[in-house]
Amino acid sequence: MTESTTPRLTVLAGPTAVGKGTVSQYIRENYPDVWFSVSATTRDPRPGEEEGVHYYFVSDEEFDSMVENRQMLEWAQVHNKYRYGTMKNMVTRALESGKHILLEIDLQGARQVRNSMPEARLIFLAPPSWEELVRRLVGRGTESAEEQQQRLDTAKIELAAEPEFDHTVVNDTVAQAAQEIIELMGLEKTSA
Ligand code: 5GP
């Protein structure tokens, strides 16, 4: 593929607790050529999260108006709770300036990007096994038992979506998964 035909928008999605956030964070820290879109969300900031860096934290009304005004490339309600969305203008601007974009979003969002931008590259981050996914989900210890069960049910449905994606990367170790994603994006390791 030539530079002009290589898709420069890559979506990274996968089941809950597979480690998408950790792999993304590793890429942020080690591969400065990758540009991350900052999503809008209706959830509150967690300690250490900054406005405009991790997310744009918006009210329900603000989110509604962004959707109504067609400002979202994709958006979804995640875990039946808060809404998250990628802003179209940020992605368009980054693409125009030649950046390689990585969107770390949920499965519903990945499907919307597939429909609106069929040239995008979709990567499915998979766990090494179902047992390992359960271990990671339970091991995180941040959710109640009921919430854990709900997330496991969701994860089963999410795992079945793998064939919809262009590539699968198994998250065995964070560094190796990140390296594979970078290679699929057509980028090489650069020193941070
Ligand atoms: P968290 O609240 O832990 O930061 O994120 C929860 C989930 O929301 C993660 O699975 C993440 O991939 C997803 N997410 C974050 N930003 C977006 C977005 O802009 N669109 C969609 N569809 N999902 C998102």
Side-chain angles (χ1 to χ4, degrees):
M1 255 190 236
T2 63
E3 171 64 23
S4 60
T5 57
T6 305
R8 277 187 288 101
L9 181 78
T10 301
V11 170
L12 181 67
T16 182
V18 72
K20 260 185 308 168
T22 313
V23 171
S24 299
Q25 188 54 32
Y26 185 91
I27 294 175
R28 262 178 222 273
E29 286 165 8
N30 292 278
Y31 300 95
D33 290 345
V34 178
W35 187 86
F36 282 87
S37 169
V38 181
S39 298
T41 182
T42 57
R43 81 153 164 76
D44 292 331
R46 296 187 186 126
E49 284 185 338
E50 285 176 51
E51 168 75 11
V53 176
H54 299 91
Y55 284 106
Y56 292 104
F57 298 97
V58 300
S59 65
D60 270 317
E61 291 73 24
E62 283 169 320
F63 203 98
D64 284 342
S65 104
M66 289 167 119
V67 172
E68 275 162 29
N69 295 321
R70 300 183 180 277
Q71 286 172 293
M72 294 302 195
L73 173 65
E74 61 73 34
W75 70 272
Q77 185 163 4
V78 179
H79 301 310
N80 297 322
K81 267 192 175 164
Y82 302 108
R83 289 181 291 168
Y84 297 79
T86 306
M87 283 169 277
K88 233 184 245 175
N89 64 349
M90 295 191 75
V91 170
T92 309
R93 246 184 277 140
L95 280 175
E96 279 167 3
S97 59
K99 297 197 165 79
H100 289 263
I101 305 177
L102 189 60
L103 297 183
E104 190 252 278
I105 58 179
D106 89 318
L107 195 59
Q108 309 164 70
R111 288 187 175 125
Q112 292 170 41
V113 174
R114 166 110 300 167
N115 285 334
S116 58
M117 297 180 82
E119 70 280 16
R121 179 190 292 107
L122 265 60
I123 302 178
F124 189 82
L125 191 64
S129 65
W130 172 252
E131 290 70 29
E132 180 58 23
L133 186 65
V134 174
R135 203 186 62 78
R136 285 179 194 178
L137 183 53
V138 174
R140 199 155 72 173
T142 46
E143 289 89 23
S144 68
E146 192 189 330
E147 236 171 12
Q148 279 175 11
Q149 190 52 52
Q150 195 197 337
R151 288 192 178 204
L152 284 174
D153 292 344
T154 307
K156 261 187 212 153
I157 297 165
E158 289 171 340
L159 276 176
E162 187 185 336
E164 295 173 36
F165 284 69
D166 300 313
H167 309 278
T168 295
V169 167
V170 177
N171 186 15
D172 246 321
T173 71
V174 173
Q176 148 273 323
Q179 178 66 39
E180 280 181 42
I181 292 163
I182 291 303
E183 283 168 14
L184 288 170
M185 291 178 79
L187 293 168
E188 308 241 316
K189 177 155 176 58
T190 48
S191 46

